[in-house]
Structure formats: C-alpha cells, structure tokens
Amino acid sequence: MIYITAIVKSKSAYLDGVKSVLENMVIETRKEKACIKYDLHQGIEDKNQFVFYEIWENQEGLNLHNQQPYIQEFISLPADYLEEKPLVLLTQKIEK
C-alpha cells in the first residue's frame, strides 16, 4: 500500500474556487478501485490550508488516479491561486 499526505495552500482570494476543485477530487477519487482512503481536511487556524490523507492499493492505481480529469483540473489551476507548490509526501506504514 501507498500512503500519501499532501498539503495544498490556497491564496485567500481564490479559497472558494480551490476548495471546490479539491472537494470534487474527493467525490470522484473515492469511486476509483485502487483508492482505499481519500480524506480532505481544512486548517482550523488557517482556512487556506488543506491536507489530503490518502491510502492507495498500489502504484498502478495511483498512476491511473493521477491521469484522471479531476486531478488534471487541479494540476492546471493557475499557479497564482496557490501560496506555494503543493507538498506531497509518499510514505510506507511502519508495522511493528
């Protein structure tokens, strides 16, 4: 399995538009076969900060996910809608 934490920071002026795109990603991604978990969180102190927590069955499913139109819609957002480039952390769970 692949675990992902992704952090997206919107500029205040574009918050509603960015949030709408992210919420659509959740709705559509949860329909994907390889998606085990796909949760979106919004900052309490900073409403412009969004955090995704994802669990994917395998790399093949994740690759397919990244090609979907709703992901491409996010990728094609103008750079000035975001405070910074999204941070994506791909991790493995440590089992002890």
Side-chain angles (χ1 to χ4, degrees), residues 8-11 13-15 17-18 21 71-86:
V8 176
K9 185 138 185 193
S10 171
K11 288 186 178 175
Y14 303 105
L15 176 62
V18 170
V21 169
I71 301 304
Q72 294 304 312
E73 178 185 13
F74 170 70
I75 292 170
S76 68
L77 283 175
D80 62 345
Y81 279 29
L82 303 178
E83 283 290 337
E84 56 203 34
K85 182 179 176 183

Side-chain angles (χ1 to χ4, degrees), residues 27-87:
I27 291 166
E28 297 302 322
T29 297
R30 287 180 174 168
K31 298 174 187 175
E32 294 181 45
K33 184 180 180 205
C35 177
I36 296 170
K37 180 177 272 304
Y38 199 83
D39 292 337
L40 175 62
H41 305 262
Q42 186 172 20
I44 293 172
E45 294 179 9
D46 182 355
K47 297 290 184 194
N48 295 314
Q49 185 177 62
F50 297 93
V51 178
F52 280 98
Y53 178 68
E54 311 171 27
I55 303 175
W56 291 92
E57 194 173 283
N58 53 43
Q59 186 64 51
E60 181 180 61
L62 179 57
N63 292 345
L64 184 60
H65 165 70
N66 288 328
Q67 297 170 16
Q68 298 305 309
Y70 39 92
I71 301 304
Q72 294 304 312
E73 178 185 13
F74 170 70
I75 292 170
S76 68
L77 283 175
D80 62 345
Y81 279 29
L82 303 178
E83 283 290 337
E84 56 203 34
K85 182 179 176 183
L87 174 64

